[in-house]
Amino acid sequence: MFPGRLAELPPAMFAMLANLLDPVKPGATPIALSVGDPRGAVPDFVREAIAKTAHQFGEYPAINGTQEWRNAAGGWIKRRFKLPDTAFDAERNILPLNGTREGLFLAAFIVTPQTKAGQRPAILIPNPFYQCYAAAALAAGAEPIFVPARAETGFLPDFAALPKSVLERTVAAYVCSPGNPEGACAGENYWRSLFELADAHDFTVFADECYADIYFGEEPVSALPARFAISGNFERLLTFHSLSKRSCLPGLRSGIVAGDAKLIERFRAFRNYAGPQVPMPIMAASAAAWRDDSHVAVNRAMYAERMAMAERLLGNRAGFRKPDGGFFLWMDVGDGEETALKLWRQGGIRVLPGAYMGRETEAGKPQSNPGFRYIRVALVHELSTIEATLGRMGEILSEGRA
Ligand SMILES: Cc1ncc(COP(=O)(O)O)c(C=O)c1O
């Protein structure tokens, strides 16, 4: 599909899903549980901030964002991750993004040299994964190394198990916590081991924490305090945060990259060449959203209610697992593609086969894809729709079973 470095990218996962399902007649009025589109009400303070500053669409914004934005976003980082005032400086440790996807993609360029240890640089990617990571690695000239995140490793990638020959040419590792698609959260020990590995082999950790505020038990441990506890700084770390999930504002396209001051400085320089600035009214709305935690608590409670409903309806099925965070079910159904087809044909229910987010670990063996056995189910609709759809889904999944 793409030329050059990107030639090895498969078609986008929703294009694969359309290929699978569109030729088949849905068994009922279609309902999409395939897309992670948060669909919340837009808070009034967001509308007001944009209306008040709309005249500033007439100006080029600064790549650093406004002082108001830095105070608000930096304030959230310190408050949310309990960092001492002296540890984190919004002037040096943070930049605004047009959503985290943009930052997750561009970050690969600032850490990838021509060669490392005399070889092609490698970027480590959990498998399955948010598809942007692979595009970023390839575009930056690195080899993506897909590292399985299966049940046996707590649905997180075990990077330390990689051969030394890979680790010595590694320039970065993406980690997603809470994870999309599995919803697993990295704990303190996971972060500590990862930073030890990153320090030993001199690579950067890209911590994608865009689901950090959607959790069902304890607050997930963030990479920022975990790194700070080890070294008293954020060396070899960039973290990515988003309003898309926290505030149900995916259309605002507003995110944060935060971490090591030297990396942020390099990122700023690179973004001055190639990064899209964030429009001033979006920055004003974003600042208002980062300042406020009450709407986030409401969103979190809403997702917890949906997850409790899912547990009630599907929890006694083999293959159901309650995630630690995020808003996806990652269900082991034996064959994700076959099940997605069945749910569509019999119930008009659109879910994503897990394999579409993963890669085969042995070429030509579909079952070696760590996502093969799974479907991903997004709980983004209102409760009554989720109740009706998951109820129906449970019935369809039970059909044909002893
Ligand atoms: C794991 C993960 N990272 C990043 C993103 C991008 O989020 P945004 O660009 O809206 O901040 C998403 C969106 O679905 C995601 O699931």
Side-chain angles (χ1 to χ4, degrees), residues 99-101 104 130 133 176 180 208 210-211 242 244-245 253:
T100 46
R101 181 167 68 177
L104 287 161
Y130 181 59
Y133 309 157
C176 186
N180 174 10
D208 179 353
C210 67
Y211 295 91
S242 177
S244 299
K245 332 293 175 189
R253 309 307 308 128

Side-chain angles (χ1 to χ4, degrees), residues 259-290:
D260 177 57
K262 289 193 296 297
L263 286 169
I264 291 286
E265 182 52 47
R266 205 189 301 165
F267 206 1
R268 180 186 295 114
F270 181 63
R271 299 186 90 262
N272 265 326
Y273 279 107
Q277 303 96 318
V278 179
M280 302 284 257
I282 302 298
M283 223 128 40
S286 170
W290 290 119

Side-chain angles (χ1 to χ4, degrees), residues 13-24 26 29-35 339-341 343-345 347-353 375-378 381 389 393:
M13 60 188 196
F14 291 116
M16 288 200 265
L17 185 62
N19 257 345
L20 178 76
L21 301 185
D22 289 359
V24 178
T29 307
I31 173 95
L33 304 186
S34 45
V35 188
T339 303
L341 207 47
L343 290 170
W344 179 248
R345 185 178 283 127
I349 303 168
R350 207 172 177 93
V351 299
L352 190 73
I375 52 171
R376 192 191 74 169
V377 182
H381 294 272
T389 312
M393 189 167 148

Side-chain angles (χ1 to χ4, degrees), residues 57-390:
F57 280 123
E59 301 167 26
Y60 268 121
I63 208 84
N64 281 344
T66 57
Q67 188 67 56
E68 184 202 16
W69 183 88
R70 289 194 295 281
N71 290 346
W76 174 76
I77 295 255
K78 281 195 262 193
R79 191 165 78 241
R80 172 69 182 78
F81 302 120
K82 301 175 184 66
L83 293 170
D85 251 2
T86 47
F88 192 88
D89 178 359
E91 302 304 314
R92 300 169 65 240
N93 296 111
I94 197 169
L95 282 176
L97 300 172
N98 287 279
T100 46
R101 181 167 68 177
E102 176 255 288
L104 287 161
F105 180 76
L106 291 181
F109 290 83
I110 66 158
V111 298
T112 308
Q114 293 284 357
T115 59
K116 186 175 176 197
Q119 302 166 77
R120 183 178 178 196
I123 292 189
L124 313 183
I125 294 177
N127 185 15
F129 59 99
Y130 181 59
Q131 298 297 292
C132 166
Y133 309 157
L138 289 169
E143 180 186 356
I145 306 284
F146 301 107
V147 184
R150 301 184 201 269
E152 301 87 276
T153 56
F155 292 105
L156 292 165
D158 181 8
F159 295 131
L162 286 168
K164 192 164 168 276
S165 56
V166 171
L167 291 169
E168 70 188 10
R169 62 188 179 93
T170 295
V171 294
Y174 285 95
V175 179
C176 186
S177 175
N180 174 10
E182 309 92 333
C185 288
E188 242 167 74
N189 288 343
Y190 185 90
W191 289 123
R192 188 174 314 111
S193 309
L194 179 58
F195 289 122
E196 277 167 15
L197 202 66
D199 288 342
H201 297 280
D202 190 20
F203 64 79
T204 302
V205 173
F206 293 149
D208 179 353
E209 299 190 347
C210 67
Y211 295 91
D213 271 328
I214 304 172
Y215 50 85
F216 307 111
E218 308 227 320
E219 268 182 22
V221 181
S222 165
L224 285 165
R227 172 81 243 194
F228 189 74
I230 295 170
S231 55
N233 58 31
F234 306 111
E235 210 177 346
R236 299 193 179 85
L237 173 64
L238 289 177
T239 63
F240 298 83
H241 305 276
S242 177
L243 291 177
S244 299
K245 332 293 175 189
R246 173 187 185 269
S247 302
C248 292
L249 289 170
L252 192 69
R253 309 307 308 128
S254 183
I256 300 174
V257 56
D260 177 57
K262 289 193 296 297
L263 286 169
I264 291 286
E265 182 52 47
R266 205 189 301 165
F267 206 1
R268 180 186 295 114
F270 181 63
R271 299 186 90 262
N272 265 326
Y273 279 107
Q277 303 96 318
V278 179
M280 302 284 257
I282 302 298
M283 223 128 40
S286 170
W290 290 119
R291 272 194 301 264
D292 182 73
D293 292 329
S294 57
H295 72 289
V296 184
V298 172
N299 285 341
R300 186 162 43 247
M302 176 184 74
Y303 283 115
E305 210 179 1
R306 292 171 182 177
M307 200 48 80
M309 171 72 75
E311 201 173 9
R312 191 166 68 68
L313 293 169
L314 299 174
N316 57 3
R317 289 190 48 77
F320 177 89
R321 182 185 128 264
K322 188 175 176 188
D324 303 327
F327 47 60
F328 297 110
L329 298 179
W330 183 240
M331 291 181 66
D332 181 349
V333 290
D335 181 333
E337 211 175 49
E338 193 183 275
T339 303
L341 207 47
K342 183 174 170 183
L343 290 170
W344 179 248
R345 185 178 283 127
Q346 295 185 24
I349 303 168
R350 207 172 177 93
V351 299
L352 190 73
Y356 294 4
M357 294 191 73
R359 295 292 160 84
E360 291 172 3
T361 53
E362 292 173 69
K365 293 198 179 156
Q367 300 198 359
S368 72
N369 182 326
F372 177 87
R373 298 180 55 89
Y374 293 82
I375 52 171
R376 192 191 74 169
V377 182
L379 302 183
V380 290
H381 294 272
E382 51 183 57
L383 205 58
S384 57
T385 309
I386 289 180
E387 180 170 24
T389 312
L390 294 192

